[in-house]
Structures are given as C-alpha cells and as structure tokens.
Amino acid sequence: MRLFKSLTLLMLALTFITTQAQESKKYEGPILVTSAGQSADVKLAGLLLKKQKLEAETITMAKAEDLKGVKTLIVVPGFSSKGLGAAGISADEELKRVQELLKQAAELKIPVVLLHIGGKARRQGQSDNFIKEVAGVSSYMIVVEQGNEDGLFTELAKKQKVKLELVSKIPLAAEPLGKLFK
Amino acid sequence: MKIDHKIVASFLLFLMTVVCIVSGVEFLDMRTPDVIYPSEDLTKIGKLSDYFEELKDGSGDTDIYFFEGKEPGATVLLLCGTHPNEASGFIAGVLATENVKIKAGRLLIIPQACLSGFSCTDPMEGYPQSYTLESKSGERKFRFGSRVSNPLDQWPDPLVYSHFPSGQKLSGFETRNLNRSYPGRPDGTFTEKVGYAIVQLIKKEKIDLAFDLHEAAPEIPIINAIIYHEKSEDIGLNAILNLEFRDLRYAPERSPENFHGLSHREWGDNTDVYPFLMETCNPIQGRLRGRTNSELILTGKSPQYLAAQETGKLRIEYDAEGVPLDKRVARHLQGFLEIVNSYNEFFPEKTILLEGLPEYEDLLENGLSNYLK
Amino acid sequence: MIFWLYIVILVLLSLVIVKEMFEERDWKKQIALVMVLIPFILRIFLIK
Ligand SMILES: [Zn+2]
C-alpha cells in the first residue's frame, strides 16, 4: 500500500514537472472563455476561436469551480445592462463573480488573457471597472484599437508589464489569439 | 376707464377661438399621410387590418408593401416607424420600398408600424412636426411623430402599465408604446391591438426573418447595437463580424429574457421568426440636445453633446461631424443587408435575394436624395 | 366607454369655466381661465 502511494506521488510529481516545463513556453488548452460584465462580445470571442480551430468552452457566467482542468482563461470585459438583464443578475453580483473567478485562477496559476473587442461601446463607466479588474491579473492583452483611443489599455499593460496587442477590427483579433496557442 | 367684465370675457372667448383654429389647423396638418412611391417590383399593398379586422380604416391601419420574387425563398419583414420620432428607421423603410428589387423570396415592408404616432408629437418636447428631404422629384416632406400612439386613439393612460400577459409593470406612458405592447391582444388597448395584428401577420405570412428599426439618444448604451433574440444569435454574430470588415461597428446585445413587450423578445417567443432590432444614434431624442428643430433631425449635429462628451464624464458615442440622417439610414440598410446575407448563409436552401438597395458607402457618397423618388 | 365619459366630463368642465369667466371681474383671472380652456376645447373636438 505504501509503495503504491509513493508511486502515485512520484507520477504526480513527474506530470507536474512536465506541465510546468510546457507552461513556461506557451498558452495551452483547455481554454475557458468568460465575460466580465455580460456583454455579448464574449460570444464573438467564441466565434473567433472557432475560426482559429481552437477548442474552447464559453461559459458567460463561469464560476470558480468551472476552472477545474482549465489551462488558459480568456476574459472578455464589457458591460451590458441588457446582458445582465438576460442573466438576471446585478452589476455588483457580476463584479463579485468576476473577482472570485480571477482569484481562483491566480491560486491555480491559470494564465488570464484579456480580450477587449467591444470598442467604444464597451468603454467608460461600468465597463472600465470590469476592464481594470481583469487587467490587474492578466498576462496578455488583445484589444481592438477603437477601445484604446484614450490609451487606457496601453497604460494598464505598461503597469502590468505585459504585452498588449492592438488590432484594428474584431475579425483581426483571431490571428494573435490563435498565435498564443501555437 | 373701466371695461365691463362681460365684454372682456367675450373678447377673450373670441381670442381663444382664433388660437384654437390656428393651432388646430397646424395640428390637423399632421394627419396628412406621408407619400411613398414603391419600386416596380411591388406586388401589392396590403393593410394591417388584413390580419386583424377591427383595425380597418382606423388610425392604426398602416400599409404593408409586398415584394415577391420569381424564385421561392425566405420571407422577410422590415418593420420601421415603431417610434415615429426615430426618423432613420422610417426613412430606411421608405428608401427600401422605393428602390428594392427582388429575385428570390418575399420582402414585406411596413414603413410606419405605429401609424397613429405619426399624427402628433410628444408633448413638452418642442419637437418639429415634419422635416424636408431633397429627392429626385424635388423636396419631400415627412412627418416627425411621437414616440407612442396618439392619445386621441388611446386615452387616458393608467398610472401603471401592466404588460399582457407577463404582468410586468411599466410607467403609464408606456401603455401607448408599440414596442412594449407585444404580443398584444385582440380585446386590449388600441396599441395592444396593433401589436397583436403585427404578431398575427408574422404568423400568417410565415415570416422567417424580421427587423425592427429604431434610434436612440446618444447617451443610451444600446445605440449602434444589434439586439437579437437568443435563437437569432449565430446569424447576428456572423453579420456583426462581416460588418466589421467594412469598418462598421455594431455591438451585439442579447435580448433579456425577462424584459417583456419588446419586438426582439415577444416576436421570437411567440412565433417562428428570427427577430432583430437595430438602433442608430439620434441626438434630437436626447436630454442634452439644445435647439430642437428639423435641422437637428437631418444633421444630427449638437454642440451640447460635443461639449458633454469632451468632459469625459459621460459614456456618449458622438463626434464633431454629428450623425447625419444619411449615415443613420445607411447604417440601418447595411445592417439589414448583412443580416439577410448571414441568414442566407445559415439557410442556403431558403434564401432571399435582394437588389437595388445601396451599400453603406454608396449611400454616403450619392446622398439620400438620390435614392428618394 | 371610458373615453366618452372623459369627453362628457371635459364638456361639463368647459361650460363651468366659461360661466366662471363671465362672472369673474379680475381680467388677469379671466385670462387664466381662458388659457385653461384651450386644451379642453382642442381635446373635445379631438384635434389634440
Ligand atoms: Zn425606438
């Protein structure tokens, strides 16, 4: 029995070492896509990943439990009152969900990619609260230029010391997104 | 000198009669119907009362323009003028009616869904009653109506409007709002009857894809959005990506399941149709608009909004050039065309093929006037 | 039904206002009364 235990431990340790080695290289699947603010942009993100032939699960209201087995978390920040209405929750509840999810991701050392594709429509006010929340823990940012007219993302990326990739249109965000995983 | 109070009263009564006649003539001018010259591909002009007898010859009995292609295909409904104070939707409907050519499928256009609302303006807003557009045949006047049905058709408003059948409570004013009345009922208020007739039309004509065109104030978060019922999601997102390639941004917004009475919710829930609602930015509807005249409808230029935006305190989509009517109509039409294309991609066995409608860039380059007869 | 009830109420109110206006001796109050009358008349004739 003791032998069995130590063997499993050894095997676990081995898998741990190999995944560690891989992780330092690139982002990898399984990918979980979620929203921060419940804008429908998150659905577009799912579509972009599909076009890059990347398999990803989209859970618009992902909870900490949903991170089980996930290797990369893509968060699409953007506030939509219609979206919150559709989800039947308040802005505060949504912010709390996002904070808990990001905390769990940090604990599990799952890298977070910020993907902002909503442009001006998903900036300022409530949207910015969610953007800042996500930017604070992200290790890569892909942003459609129109959302960065005031340089918010440039500033956030500098502060966070992570790479910011700007694209001019939503469909063009697919490529850098795909590159992350290749 | 002291004038007898009875003489004063008689004089005032006379003065009042004059005021009533002068303002009455002006108010009654809003009952003159707008004129639309349909394209040669028109098959017939129907009436909303064809779907609900009781509306016959009343102020809700709006025209429905039928265009039927030689080849079979999907049936599309383009519904405009839900809110008669949102000019771009109505004019997009007029432009489509006057220019569209159809190869396959059927297109039904209702330019003035809330016909009653076109016969008055909203009180206390200081709105103009009409605006004039250049066209190939000279100047054409169009009515700028009220957001809701004319109170003469439905009066008085309750304190609280309880939506049928959900029981959702809204302010009393909304009881005359067509886009809170769906699915409507045959024995309801005037506006509920109009909403009911439209839902009957969608069912009876087996509409596959339906549009409801709107505008909203610059400070409303859903302007420049495409709002879709969850079952229309894939068609909508695909269209939004294709619009992106033309540098046209539309924010995707999913219709909340628990907000009732709206076209994008109730049409989708009560019929087989794939519903879409689009909004453009219309400064004359906003609280900060400043001088309120027909110029503002056409140019969408408001220094107050620019100033407000420059403070950076508000989430406003506005720029210094304003948002002219041409651009708003062009956005609506391009959005309509891309969603139709997207529908065709998803249902290749049942497509609708339209021609004659200007693309966004063409409409901006040639101007609205070149597409109005 | 309720619509016509409101119209009847309006007609009665208008008559009372006209009567009041002919009895009122202060011209300022007479003007106030006639101003109240305008929307009533327009609504009775179903103009506005
Ligand atoms: Zn509207």
Side-chain angles (χ1 to χ4, degrees), chain A residues 40-41 43-44 47-48 51 80-83 85-86 88 117-124 144 146 169-171, chain B residues 221-222 227-228 233 237-238 240-241 244-245 247 249 251-258 264 312 314-317:
Chain A
D41 297 347
K43 298 285 169 57
L44 281 175
L47 220 64
L48 293 178
K51 290 203 167 167
S80 159
S81 50
K82 274 223 169 1
I117 51 180
K120 268 194 236 169
R122 309 294 183 208
R123 275 296 321 277
Q124 296 178 313
V144 173
Q146 203 206 34
K169 297 180 177 134
I170 298 178
Chain B
I222 52 165
I227 304 163
Y228 53 81
E233 186 161 69
L237 294 181
N238 189 42
I240 286 172
L241 282 185
E244 272 283 324
F245 277 117
D247 275 328
R249 319 201 101 249
E253 293 283 358
R254 192 176 147 144
S255 168
E257 264 138 67
N258 41 13
H264 47 79
L314 289 168
R315 216 205 121 267
I316 295 178
E317 277 196 56

Side-chain angles (χ1 to χ4, degrees), chain B residues 82-83 85-86 147 177 179 213-216 277 279 285:
Chain B
T82 292
H83 294 142
N85 61 336
E86 300 171 3
R147 177 175 173 80
N177 183 348
N179 203 26
L213 302 187
H214 287 255
E215 296 202 86
L277 187 149
E279 302 264 5
Q285 286 180 266

